[in-house]
Amino acid sequence: MAIQTHRCPEPSCSFFNQVLPHNANICPMCGTSLAQAVQPPPAMVASAARYAQTSAPLPQFSSTINNQERPQLKLLHPSEQSFLLLRESGVIGRQNLSNGMRPEIDLTGLPHAGIVSRTHAHLYWDLARQAYMIVDDSLNGSYLNDKLLPRGAPHPLSHGDKLQLGQERLICLQVELNHTSI
């Protein structure tokens, strides 16, 4: 009997065709349902990836998903620096100097930023729960309201939550949810 692996079927997702947690029902990055996910032949994967690169991009600053408004997610650092998630999903991390790639929430430059993984955690809007979710994908850990998040498991974020990154919890961020349009 073959072991079933969950993989994101959405070609435009950064988790496309990557193994996801075995109990995931949706992709933690893009929110695509995994219930209908099938493994396409390698030729179709390459073709879909080429199509995703040439198709028109989705609007980046939309505050609605399927005609339902989502709040704006802001993470506030004690230094008064704030970080906005402008899309319905994104990555918390720091810039990759070797290829110049930056996550949607780039903590590069903050004191102790070295403890933050380049892809530390994924954030996404869960339409069914009407909440932002966080999925830790780090080596040094993430804490939500002083509780260690299990790696790879989604957890809802609420206004006022305290998010701490790294084993020593050196990066502290407060979650703010603004319900006005972006």
Side-chain angles (χ1 to χ4, degrees):
M1 180 174 155
I3 296 175
Q4 180 182 3
T5 58
H6 290 76
R7 296 175 183 271
C8 180
E10 175 55 47
S12 63
C13 178
S14 62
F15 273 14
F16 175 62
N17 209 25
Q18 291 187 28
V19 176
L20 300 173
H22 72 281
N23 59 348
N25 293 324
I26 63 168
C27 172
M29 187 62 186
C30 69
T32 299
S33 172
L34 302 179
Q36 303 299 324
V38 295
Q39 296 294 351
M44 285 184 68
V45 171
S47 173
R50 277 194 302 278
Y51 173 77
Q53 291 173 351
T54 60
S55 63
L58 296 172
Q60 295 184 15
F61 302 107
S62 173
S63 64
T64 59
I65 302 170
N66 296 336
N67 295 323
Q68 294 187 10
E69 190 167 323
R70 67 175 166 85
Q72 180 182 48
L73 174 65
K74 179 167 52 170
L75 300 176
L76 184 61
H77 187 263
S79 69
E80 299 297 318
Q81 189 169 356
S82 62
F83 303 90
L84 294 175
L85 180 64
L86 298 174
R87 295 179 169 196
E88 57 269 6
S89 64
V91 171
I92 298 174
R94 59 187 169 92
Q95 181 180 13
N96 185 335
L97 297 176
S98 64
N99 65 14
M101 297 295 293
R102 289 183 174 251
E104 287 75 13
I105 296 183
D106 186 2
L107 302 178
T108 303
L110 286 179
H112 310 292
I115 59 111
V116 175
S117 301
R118 286 175 178 76
T119 303
H120 196 91
H122 298 274
L123 299 169
Y124 67 96
W125 176 251
D126 186 321
L127 187 60
R129 291 185 180 181
Q130 291 291 296
Y132 278 99
M133 306 296 284
I134 184 168
V135 178
D136 178 68
D137 193 29
S138 69
L139 297 176
N140 291 322
S142 297
Y143 295 79
L144 185 59
N145 299 321
D146 296 317
K147 294 180 184 169
L148 179 64
L149 296 177
R151 191 170 186 208
H155 292 274
L157 294 173
S158 299
H159 184 80
D161 279 351
K162 180 172 63 170
L163 180 62
Q164 299 165 306
L165 307 178
Q167 290 175 344
E168 301 297 320
R169 306 178 196 189
L170 295 174
I171 303 283
C172 298
L173 304 164
Q174 181 170 343
V175 175
E176 293 187 4
L177 298 174
N178 184 346
H179 290 276
T180 60
S181 295
I182 295 174

